[in-house]
Amino acid sequence: LMLLLLGMQLPQLAVAQRKFPTEKSAIRDGFLFATGEPVRIAVFPPDSEVSETNAAGMALPDAKATDAARVALIQSLQTDPSFPHAKWVVIEPKAAEALPALASQRALFQLVVDAAIRHRLFATEPLPSKQGQFQWSLGKGMSDYIAQTNATYGLFIYTRDSRNSAGKTAMQALATALGNRAERGKHMGYAGLVDLKSGELVWLNVNLKMSPDLETDAGADLRLKQLLRGF
């Protein structure tokens, strides 16, 4: 009986010890920035959300922390010296409200990236037509933003962070003492660059396990480096 139980546990241990990738990036085949003048890139307001998970396991959005995270990300982008070839055209939230159908385009961006994650980057549901190429598009509607931003490309940023409340932390401390694995919170995000003229997604970086403390300056700096790794 002991040998049987041990044999049943071995496959589970092997799965638990196997390391799955948590970060992937991709670039459209043949894509290169034009040489010469700095590339003008419209930076849409980050779609960020910070929530707190209570003892019952419910994620409650934290509006103050979310606003701080968005501001910190943009400030970090504007002060980072790593991208001398990029001329960031930061679109303020108020100005973004005047852009036509931006909310719909952001939602479409999320759907496209979700499909790219499942069918291409992490290939949990691989498609034969997406195995050897990275071709995804948000459509010609993105060209509507060229006149308003005077930019060639658009940068979308998406982040989701959840942290544990005091009650949840106490429950997990007890679970850890009993030998169970504790969930420390979830931190994920991705950034994508879109050609505004064609609507094509030309670059994407996805990280499913990012650094915490997005609301702080140091945390935002680290998060930005993770989001734009390889850019």
Side-chain angles (χ1 to χ4, degrees), residues 118-140:
R118 291 186 290 112
H119 302 317
R120 177 65 169 82
L121 266 68
F122 295 93
T124 55
E125 301 174 24
L127 293 177
S129 62
K130 295 296 185 181
Q131 289 302 298
Q133 56 187 348
F134 183 78
Q135 291 186 353
W136 307 88
S137 176
L138 273 65
K140 295 288 187 178

Side-chain angles (χ1 to χ4, degrees), residues 62-196:
D62 187 330
K64 184 177 180 180
T66 295
D67 289 339
R70 292 171 179 164
V71 171
L73 269 177
I74 291 297
Q75 289 179 343
S76 180
L77 179 66
Q78 291 176 311
T79 57
D80 195 314
S82 304
F83 311 103
H85 60 289
K87 174 64 176 178
W88 304 119
V89 183
V90 176
I91 302 173
E92 300 296 334
K94 286 295 183 182
E97 295 176 0
L99 293 180
L102 181 58
S104 297
Q105 291 291 0
R106 290 171 71 173
L108 177 59
F109 172 71
Q110 293 177 28
L111 289 174
V112 169
V113 172
D114 179 64
I117 288 173
R118 291 186 290 112
H119 302 317
R120 177 65 169 82
L121 266 68
F122 295 93
T124 55
E125 301 174 24
L127 293 177
S129 62
K130 295 296 185 181
Q131 289 302 298
Q133 56 187 348
F134 183 78
Q135 291 186 353
W136 307 88
S137 176
L138 273 65
K140 295 288 187 178
M142 292 300 298
S143 63
D144 294 339
Y145 303 130
I146 296 177
Q148 290 90 342
T149 63
N150 193 26
T152 307
Y153 301 93
L155 180 68
F156 286 96
I157 295 175
Y158 176 94
T159 62
R160 288 296 183 269
D161 293 83
S162 65
R163 58 194 180 196
N164 296 330
S165 66
K168 181 69 172 179
T169 301
M171 289 183 63
Q172 291 198 333
L174 177 60
T176 301
L178 295 175
N180 296 321
R181 183 179 179 182
E183 178 62 61
R184 303 296 183 184
K186 297 179 180 179
H187 308 278
M188 64 83 64
Y190 47 78
L193 189 71
V194 177
D195 185 325
L196 294 182

